[in-house]
């Protein structure tokens, strides 16, 4: 059915449509990457083979996620085949997914080493992190012409690992958020040691243009932990933890175009056009004392660099603020009292080139879920 708007409201309607065009897809798209495969066995200890554990667990995660009709799952491999690292990135980028999750098993010559950890793309000189990255990156030697494709990358050289540039650093903050949720979910589903969120230079992550994490689910080199990883019940628990963390991330950070401004802010008995006409109805009402004040900001970047918030550092954007986290700085554009206004600010940020910008909500200075704010 076509809705006709009065001429006087044309400009407002056009702005509304532009905002919607920048909204995310109707479905939340997840790329699941089972590490290794085919001729690349990954780590093998005590009869536990990394490529098999990764694939079985990935398929279980996919089965859980696909029960949600609003989620689409893309697999880099769904059987025992060898997939080159750059091909995994190409699959992810072409799918225009919301997140990329790569699943692996850890190993160490010290067979007492145990626990799970989740990595984001980064540069580190931490010896243990470097070892994990070198182990996972060594798969490139199985690829044809890898010296050319990876520009002489030597998986045994710490300098090569450190030398990997951090592409799309603006996705770092969302990657950290996803990684933290994975680790939190692991503590609920397993008794494994929580080794935390870490960073390292993984080749499989370097070209992916979306929030992305690499999960080391546990040590196959540890007899007890390896047996758990290789068991049906163990894989079920790990899959539930990972799937739950993805669902939590989706709930907090994803607003689909079908559940965006046009639905979340209209009253049950109102027609869509009234949202455009009566702009005041989209505002968040706060108490007279501002005790429950809710504001919306557009996060445009997260970086380890402490930048001055001058327009020249942010492609001409004014009114940029920053917040110091534990290890990174978050940069925000504008502050709005309504989600409508925040979407306009998001459009402006994206037009300036901040393609991964997203809206966040704050209540009394504390970050809250967008869905909670819109209630």
């Amino acid at each position: 059915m076509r809705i006709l708007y009065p001429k006087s409201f044309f400009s407002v309607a056009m702005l509304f449509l532009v905002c919607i065009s920048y909204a995310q897809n109707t479905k939340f798209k997840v790329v699941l990457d089972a590490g290794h495969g085919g001729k690349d066995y990954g780590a093998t200890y005590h009869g536990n083979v990394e490529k098999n554990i990764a694939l079985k667990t990935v398929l279980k995660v996919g089965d859980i996620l696909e029960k949600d009709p609003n989620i689409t799952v893309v697999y880099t491999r769904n059987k025992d085949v060898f997939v080159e690292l750059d091909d995994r990135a190409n699959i992810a980028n072409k799918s225009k997914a919301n997140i990329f999750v790569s699943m692996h098993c850890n190993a160490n010559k010290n067979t007492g080493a145990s626990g799970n950890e989740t990595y984001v793309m980064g540069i580190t000189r931490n010896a243990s992190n470097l070892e994990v990255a070198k182990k996972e990156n060594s798969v490139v030697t199985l690829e044809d012409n890898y010296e050319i494709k990876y520009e002489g990358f030597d998986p045994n050289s710490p300098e090569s690992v450190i030398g990997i540039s951090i592409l799309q650093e603006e996705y770092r903050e969302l990657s950290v958020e996803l990684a933290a949720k994975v680790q939190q979910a692991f503590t609920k589903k397993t008794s494994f040691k929580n080794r935390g969120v870490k960073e390292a230079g993984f080749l499989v992550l370097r070209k992916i243009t979306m929030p992305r994490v690499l999960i080391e689910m546990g040590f196959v080199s540890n007899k007890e932990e390896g047996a758990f990883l290789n068991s049906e019940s163990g894989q079920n628990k790990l899959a539930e933890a990972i799937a739950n963390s993805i669902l939590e991330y989706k709930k907090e950070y994803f607003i689909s175009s079908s559940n965006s401004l046009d639905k979340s802010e209209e009253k049950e008995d109102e027609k869509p056009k009234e949202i455009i006409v009566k702009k005041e109805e989209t505002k968040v009402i706060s108490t007279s004392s501002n005790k429950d004040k809710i504001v919306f900001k557009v996060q445009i970047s997260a970086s380890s660099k402490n930048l001055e918030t001058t327009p020249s550092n942010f492609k001409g954007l004014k009114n940029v603020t920053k917040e110091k986290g534990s290890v990174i700085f978050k940069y925000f554009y504008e502050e709005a009292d309504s989600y409508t206004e925040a979407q306009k600010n998001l459009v402006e940020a994206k037009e300036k080139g901040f393609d991964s910008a997203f809206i966040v909500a704050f209540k009394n200075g504390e970050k809250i879920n967008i869905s909670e704010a819109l209630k």
Side-chain angles (χ1 to χ4, degrees), residues 157-222:
S157 166
E159 288 74 21
S160 288
V161 177
I162 295 169
I164 299 174
S165 61
I166 307 178
L167 300 181
Q168 278 73 38
E169 189 178 0
E170 62 266 29
Y171 293 106
R172 176 184 171 82
E173 174 62 14
L174 285 173
S175 299
V176 171
E177 294 284 348
L178 175 58
K181 292 184 184 301
V182 171
Q183 289 304 120
Q184 290 167 3
F186 276 153
T187 61
K188 295 176 182 178
K189 290 290 183 180
T190 75
S191 58
F192 288 9
K193 175 183 177 181
N194 182 351
R195 299 169 67 94
V197 175
K198 301 180 179 181
E199 63 172 24
F202 291 99
L203 281 173
V204 71
L205 299 181
R206 89 191 199 286
K207 288 187 176 180
I208 293 172
T209 55
M210 65 195 68
R212 67 271 203 218
V213 298
L214 186 146
I215 304 170
E216 297 284 0
M217 299 180 287
F219 284 78
V220 291
S221 51
N222 181 301

Side-chain angles (χ1 to χ4, degrees), residues 69-254:
N70 295 314
I71 293 180
T72 298
V73 177
V74 176
Y75 299 92
T76 58
R77 69 179 183 99
N78 56 13
K79 54 187 177 182
D80 187 19
V81 294
F82 179 73
V83 183
E84 296 186 356
L85 297 184
D86 272 4
D87 288 341
R88 295 171 191 258
N90 291 337
I91 291 169
N93 293 336
K94 286 180 181 178
S95 72
K96 300 186 185 299
N98 298 94
I99 59 172
F100 175 90
V101 180
S102 186
M103 294 163 57
H104 295 255
C105 299
N106 219 332
N108 197 293
K109 291 179 180 178
N110 171 17
T111 56
S114 64
N116 41 52
E117 55 199 19
T118 303
Y119 284 85
V120 299
M121 183 65 188
I123 294 174
T124 179
R125 288 187 179 273
N126 179 284
S128 62
N129 292 13
L130 283 169
E131 283 304 311
V132 174
K134 282 163 60 179
K135 174 175 65 70
E136 299 297 355
N137 290 340
S138 64
V139 63
V140 301
T141 60
L142 299 177
E143 300 182 16
D144 296 332
N145 301 318
Y146 82 91
E147 298 95 335
I148 298 173
K149 283 193 295 183
Y150 298 97
E151 299 177 353
F153 176 84
D154 179 1
N156 296 311
S157 166
E159 288 74 21
S160 288
V161 177
I162 295 169
I164 299 174
S165 61
I166 307 178
L167 300 181
Q168 278 73 38
E169 189 178 0
E170 62 266 29
Y171 293 106
R172 176 184 171 82
E173 174 62 14
L174 285 173
S175 299
V176 171
E177 294 284 348
L178 175 58
K181 292 184 184 301
V182 171
Q183 289 304 120
Q184 290 167 3
F186 276 153
T187 61
K188 295 176 182 178
K189 290 290 183 180
T190 75
S191 58
F192 288 9
K193 175 183 177 181
N194 182 351
R195 299 169 67 94
V197 175
K198 301 180 179 181
E199 63 172 24
F202 291 99
L203 281 173
V204 71
L205 299 181
R206 89 191 199 286
K207 288 187 176 180
I208 293 172
T209 55
M210 65 195 68
R212 67 271 203 218
V213 298
L214 186 146
I215 304 170
E216 297 284 0
M217 299 180 287
F219 284 78
V220 291
S221 51
N222 181 301
K223 270 194 174 182
E224 182 180 347
E225 206 161 275
F228 178 90
L229 291 165
N230 207 24
S231 69
E232 183 84 12
S233 60
Q235 290 163 12
N236 284 336
K237 289 182 180 179
L238 291 166
E240 288 171 10
I242 295 169
N244 288 345
S245 66
I246 292 172
L247 291 171
E248 280 297 312
Y249 177 93
K250 172 182 176 288
K251 179 181 178 182
E252 185 167 352
Y253 292 106
F254 178 76

Side-chain angles (χ1 to χ4, degrees), residues 34 37 52 79 83-84 97 102 113 120 122 150 162 170 215 236 261 270 272 280 292 299 327 330 333 363 369 375:
N52 296 335
K79 54 187 177 182
V83 183
E84 296 186 356
S102 186
V120 299
Y150 298 97
I162 295 169
E170 62 266 29
I215 304 170
N236 284 336
L261 176 66
E270 290 178 339
E280 69 276 10
D292 296 320
Q299 184 168 322
V327 293
K330 301 176 185 178
Y333 172 58
K363 182 177 181 180
N369 292 351
K375 289 178 183 177

